[in-house]
């Protein structure tokens, strides 16, 4: 892996902006519906993003970012 | 006095005590060397690092305070979830770089790095002092985790020395095995601690909803209870609370990785890939944290009544579980206090030893001298934490912990941004730090420590947000302005002792 490839792979890290937008744009998820398994939207949306962010990290790791 | 619970509790406590002392012989190293005592020789792989950092960041105080906040204030308490979601992308990007430069120069503290990078003793001292000040009340609050479960088991005398004796005893044992085993002790104890926590949370998530009529019912009942509570709240945020929620989350996420104990946990790992893998797998703890936050709603739905917020979780468990499992769950909380308390005291004593003792008092100290001092200081730090809790009102520690979060974020320009650029001038960084510390402290005082959310007024616009974020913005503005001034007037910026290569990836990702 040369430096150019390495820095191209580092570029994948910008994908981490997605969870930041998803979490910090609060009006998008501050609602109670739809309910899932008894959990209001606000709660299961956050739990979902715990998992999605972990998966994103795994993908970036395997891409060599 | 609940004997069944106490006996289960005691057995588990004695078990981890044995492990703590045994740890000195685990992964053999010369414990009279500082990097062996305080970083366990930088040799932890992905697995142990996961337990160590998980045990380090998700403290007993978190497990007590987050549900307590949710119990009293509703949805806003859940900022802890986006906060712990955002920590790990930051960790993935920043910490391998930090690890690399620390490894290259044998840095053990964030202040070591600042000293080398910006060639400034003053700035390094500021970073070290901030770290120690932010960590001390945090250690003290871990004691609260132990104290509430002892109290809930009826093990605490009403007055005088008997009141605090069990707590002092527990902490004395912790101090002893941290002294002998160093970071190896919390690393091994963390494995037990996290196993207990995961079992407790999984059982609670199955049993409690069954008893309370399902999650839907829990949320509804909790919402009603919050609406009719002393300070009406809700399980949903009001639009006025959005900015506070978002700034609390992002500010806390950056702050967490600046805490000395977080840095110690990361530096102890053996490589960059271990850190990145952990960034992917540590979110498992975030799920646990979210579920623990829901304990606050469960307590509302189960009609737990208390004026002492820290008793919310223990009271819920006693209402829902048989005695023996109460003992198990309480042991999880108490042992959960021991791991971070040990790592924090190691981190604080490292800061003192490297950046105050060696820097100002004993420039010729050998690494063995450093280890000796650090061990002693770790005892002093714990003694200080005990005095904090025993002699001062609890509110004092809570207020200082709140301030600590605001303060530690003020080291971000020097430490975290400093990893990427040396454009900032060392004196400007110091002035920025002063400005950030002052602004953050004044904001907390203006809120009478009731809240870390400060309504910033710009013209007619009122922006309620996390004081640490406002403070670090002030910090950055001052730093940038003065850097421009100092650079234009060619004020000496010192020598950078690090080189570009120090920050590079050491290991190629196996798949890359």
């Amino acid at each position: 892996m040369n430096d150019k490839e390495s820095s191209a792979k580092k570029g994948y890290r910008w994908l981490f902006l997605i969870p930041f937008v998803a979490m910090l744009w609060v009006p998008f998820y501050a609602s109670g519906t739809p309910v899932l398994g008894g959990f209001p939207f606000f709660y299961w949306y956050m739990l979902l993003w715990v998992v999605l962010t972990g998966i994103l990290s795994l993908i970036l790791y395997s891409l060599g970012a | 006095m609940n004997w069944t619970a106490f006996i289960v509790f005691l057995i588990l406590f004695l078990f981890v005590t044995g492990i703590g002392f045994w740890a000195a012989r685990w992964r053999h190293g010369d414990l009279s060397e500082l990097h062996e005592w305080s970083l366990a020789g930088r040799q932890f792989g992905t697995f142990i690092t996961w337990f160590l950092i998980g045990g380090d960041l998700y403290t007993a105080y978190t497990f007590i305070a987050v549900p307590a906040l949710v119990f009293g204030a509703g949805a806003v308490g859940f900022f802890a979830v986006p906060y712990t979601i955002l920590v790990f992308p930051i960790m993935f990007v920043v910490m391998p770089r930090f690890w690399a430069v620390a490894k290259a120069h044998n840095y053990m503290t964030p202040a070591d790095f600042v000293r080398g990078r910006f060639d400034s003793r003053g700035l390094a001292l500021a970073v070290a002092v901030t770290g120690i000040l932010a960590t001390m009340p945090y250690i003290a609050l871990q004691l609260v985790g132990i104290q509430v479960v002892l109290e809930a088991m009826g093990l605490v005398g009403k007055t005088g020395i008997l009141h605090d004796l069990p707590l002092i005893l527990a902490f004395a044992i912790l101090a002893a095995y941290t002294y002998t085993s160093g970071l190896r002790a919390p690393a091994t104890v963390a494995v037990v601690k996290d196993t207990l926590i995961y079992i407790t949370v999984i059982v609670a998530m199955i049993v409690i909803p069954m008893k309370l009529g399902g999650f839907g019912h829990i949320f509804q009942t909790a919402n009603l209870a919050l609406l009719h509570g002393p300070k009406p709240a809700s399980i949903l945020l009001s639009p006025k609370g959005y900015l506070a929620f978002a700034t609390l989350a992002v500010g806390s996420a950056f702050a967490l990785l600046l805490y000395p104990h977080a840095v110690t946990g990361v530096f102890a790992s053996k490589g960059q890939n271990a850190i990145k893998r952990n960034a992917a797998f540590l979110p498992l703890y975030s799920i646990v944290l979210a579920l623990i936050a829901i304990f606050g709603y469960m307590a509302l739905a189960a009609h737990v009544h208390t004026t002492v917020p820290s008793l919310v979780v223990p009271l819920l468990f006693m209402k829902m579980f048989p005695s023996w499992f109460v003992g198990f769950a309480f042991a999880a909380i108490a042992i959960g206090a021991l791991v971070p308390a040990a790592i924090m005291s190691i981190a604080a004593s490292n800061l003192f030893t490297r950046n105050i003792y060696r820097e100002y008092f004993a420039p010729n100290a050998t690494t063995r001298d450093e280890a000796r001092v650090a061990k002693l200081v770790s005892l002093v730090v714990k003694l200080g934490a005990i005095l904090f809790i025993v002699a001062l009102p609890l509110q004092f520690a809570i207020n200082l912990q709140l301030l600590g979060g605001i303060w530690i974020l003020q080291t971000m320009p020097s430490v975290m941004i400093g990893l990427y650029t040396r454009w900032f001038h060392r004196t400007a960084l110091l002035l920025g730090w002063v400005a950030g510390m002052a602004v953050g402290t004044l904001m907390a005082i203006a809120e009478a420590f009731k809240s870390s959310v400060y309504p910033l007024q710009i013209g007619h616009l009122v922006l309620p947000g996390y004081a640490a974020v406002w403070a670090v913005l002030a910090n950055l503005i001052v730093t940038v302005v003065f850097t421009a001034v100092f650079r234009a007037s060619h004020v000496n910026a010192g020598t950078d002792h690090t080189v570009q290569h120090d920050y590079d990836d050491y290991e190629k990702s196996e798949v890359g």
Side-chain angles (χ1 to χ4, degrees), chain A residues 29-30 38 43 50 53 61-62 65, chain B residues 85 219 235 276-277 283 297 511:
Chain A
Y29 64 96
Y43 296 92
V50 176
T53 309
Y61 174 71
S62 63
Chain B
I85 289 174
F219 279 109
I235 62 163
K276 288 181 187 172
R277 280 191 214 117
Y297 290 155
V511 277

Side-chain angles (χ1 to χ4, degrees), chain B residues 81-104:
Chain B
V81 182
Y83 149 35
T84 56
I85 289 174
L86 299 181
V87 161
F88 297 113
I90 304 170
M91 178 175 160
F92 188 105
V93 173
V94 175
M95 290 322 233
R97 195 174 169 86
F98 202 4
W99 182 92
V101 69
K103 172 90 175 167

Side-chain angles (χ1 to χ4, degrees), chain B residues 298-365:
Chain B
M298 291 177 170
L300 287 167
H303 306 292
V304 167
H305 295 287
T306 174
T307 49
V308 186
S310 57
L311 282 173
V312 166
V313 170
L315 290 175
L316 174 70
F317 285 179
M318 284 166 57
K319 210 162 181 172
M320 292 287 138
F321 295 140
S323 289
W324 67 271
F325 195 73
V326 169
F328 184 91
F330 282 7
I333 295 174
I335 296 166
L338 301 180
V339 173
I343 306 172
M344 286 168 188
S345 66
I346 288 171
S349 50
N350 266 353
L351 280 169
F352 176 82
T353 307
R354 300 274 297 182
N355 309 110
I356 295 175
Y357 172 74
R358 195 183 63 148
E359 186 71 41
Y360 291 93
F361 298 100
N364 300 321

Side-chain angles (χ1 to χ4, degrees), chain B residues 193-371:
Chain B
K193 173 228 154 181
D194 293 335
T195 311
L196 298 182
I197 295 269
Y198 277 96
I199 293 174
T200 304
V201 171
I202 290 168
V203 169
M205 281 301 136
I206 297 167
V207 172
I208 299 179
M210 269 167 37
K211 290 199 173 175
L212 294 177
F215 280 106
H217 189 251
I218 290 171
F219 279 109
Q220 282 164 12
T221 327
N223 199 31
L224 279 177
L226 283 169
L227 283 174
H228 300 292
K231 267 192 280 173
S234 161
I235 62 163
L236 291 176
L237 288 172
S238 75
K240 275 185 301 187
Y242 291 170
L243 185 67
F245 189 83
T247 50
L248 278 167
V250 74
S252 309
F254 279 100
L256 184 64
L257 293 173
L258 291 162
Y259 269 105
H261 61 277
V263 174
T264 297
V266 169
F267 283 2
S269 72
K270 72 174 171 199
Q272 294 165 311
N273 284 337
I275 299 169
K276 288 181 187 172
R277 280 191 214 117
N278 267 288
F281 290 114
L282 278 166
L284 269 176
Y285 285 92
S286 308
I287 295 179
V288 171
L289 179 65
L291 299 177
I292 286 173
I294 293 175
F295 286 163
Y297 290 155
M298 291 177 170
L300 287 167
H303 306 292
V304 167
H305 295 287
T306 174
T307 49
V308 186
S310 57
L311 282 173
V312 166
V313 170
L315 290 175
L316 174 70
F317 285 179
M318 284 166 57
K319 210 162 181 172
M320 292 287 138
F321 295 140
S323 289
W324 67 271
F325 195 73
V326 169
F328 184 91
F330 282 7
I333 295 174
I335 296 166
L338 301 180
V339 173
I343 306 172
M344 286 168 188
S345 66
I346 288 171
S349 50
N350 266 353
L351 280 169
F352 176 82
T353 307
R354 300 274 297 182
N355 309 110
I356 295 175
Y357 172 74
R358 195 183 63 148
E359 186 71 41
Y360 291 93
F361 298 100
N364 300 321
T366 64
T367 50
R368 282 173 179 272
D369 296 336
E370 284 180 8

